[in-house]
Every structure is written in structure tokens, then in C-alpha cells.
Amino acid sequence: MIAGSQAHAADEPDLIFRRSTVFNLLTPNDKLATYGVDDPEVEGVACHFTVPEKGGIKGWLGVAEEVSDISLSCRQIGPIHFKGKMSQGEDMFRQRRSLFFKKMQIVRGCDAKRNVLVYMVYSDRLIEGSPQNSTSSVPIMPWGAADTSVQKCADFFSK
């Protein structure tokens, strides 16, 4: 089970599906879970991420420390509109991955040269982080014939 702690206005992620990976006889199985979350500051962008969820006794009690293997995919799902100013590398979403010490973060930035939003997911701990990460990019493009004004991400990001 994932205990949520999000940054800004990001909602709890929507569970899309779970798939068992390790069978445990009397306790919950280890699973991979895929979630979706909308970017709270950029209308028209959604991200999906897959995280491992520990089963067993520790997982059942909610005290297992989850591993840092997280995949990420972000896409344009409608016209892109920025809701305000942001900073490079600002948290788009944050969630606890253990009872006390570990959290997963999705951060966003702007590749101004290419007018592309860049999202990165990683996890960190109180003492040390993990180099495991995943990156996804979303080119800012018109959404249908009626969307004629494509915003520049550089206009909404400070360095």
C-alpha cells in the first residue's frame, strides 16, 4: 500500500492496475502497481508511473521500505496551458515510499531550446538517495485545429 504525501495541488494518483510478481502463501503478494497523475500546474499533461509494492508481513503492516525502481511516462493529453510561474526541478508530485525515511518525487523542468517539458522521477532517503531514475519529455504542441496558441515553457520557468 502506498501512503500519499503530495506536493502542491497534485491529487492522490489514480490506480490503473496492479500485477503480482512474487507469490506469498499467507500474506499479500509483491506487486507492480501503475498509477496516473495529472500535472497540477500544467493543464493538458498527465504522467503514469509504475512502482513495486512489497507484500509479505512488512508490506501488509505498511512498514516495508519500497525499492527505488520506478518507471515514468508523461504525455500531452489536451491543450497545454500553464497555470503560473514555476522553478526548474520543482516537485510535481511527491509520495512516501517507507514509513519514515524514503520518498518518491516527480520533478518538472523546461528545455527552453526545444520547448519541451521534462519530467524526472527518483527516490531519496534521509541519509542517502538512489541513482535510479526515469525521465520522460512532453513536447508542447498544438492540440487539434482549434488550438492555435502554443505557449513557450521558458515564459513560465525561472532558473
Side-chain angles (χ1 to χ4, degrees):
M1 185 170 115
I2 293 183
S5 158
Q6 59 273 17
H8 306 289
D11 292 329
E12 278 295 307
D14 300 316
L15 175 66
I16 308 303
F17 63 89
R18 281 190 176 99
R19 188 70 188 215
S20 290
T21 58
V22 175
F23 174 75
N24 295 313
L25 185 59
L26 299 174
T27 58
N29 293 343
D30 290 4
K31 297 175 179 75
L32 289 174
T34 299
Y35 293 90
V37 64
D38 296 319
D39 187 323
E41 299 297 324
V42 184
E43 188 178 310
V45 175
C47 294
H48 292 87
F49 59 92
T50 299
V51 294
E53 294 181 344
K54 285 286 200 187
I57 292 172
K58 286 185 177 181
W60 181 60
L61 294 174
V63 296
E65 182 171 329
E66 302 290 353
V67 297
S68 299
D69 302 324
I70 306 163
S71 65
L72 175 70
S73 178
C74 299
R75 298 289 184 266
Q76 181 175 357
I77 59 167
I80 292 180
H81 297 286
F82 295 92
K83 295 180 180 178
K85 296 285 185 181
M86 295 165 270
S87 299
Q88 290 281 25
E90 183 176 286
D91 282 356
M92 184 273 276
F93 180 77
R94 183 177 29 221
Q95 187 172 63
R96 288 195 186 284
R97 297 290 293 150
S98 74
L99 192 56
F100 298 109
F101 302 112
K102 191 182 243 184
K103 64 181 180 281
M104 175 197 84
Q105 298 174 83
I106 300 174
V107 297
R108 87 169 78 71
C110 166
D111 176 347
K113 179 179 178 181
R114 295 165 186 84
N115 199 31
V116 171
L117 290 166
V118 180
Y119 294 83
M120 179 181 63
V121 64
Y122 69 99
S123 66
D124 62 4
R125 276 196 259 181
L126 190 59
I127 306 295
E128 63 186 56
S130 169
Q132 295 171 330
N133 63 79
S134 182
T135 303
S136 186
S137 58
V138 178
I140 301 171
M141 300 170 59
W143 190 261
D147 188 16
T148 57
S149 63
V150 174
Q151 294 181 314
K152 302 286 185 200
C153 65
D155 295 340
F156 295 90
F157 279 80
S158 59
K159 303 235 177 211

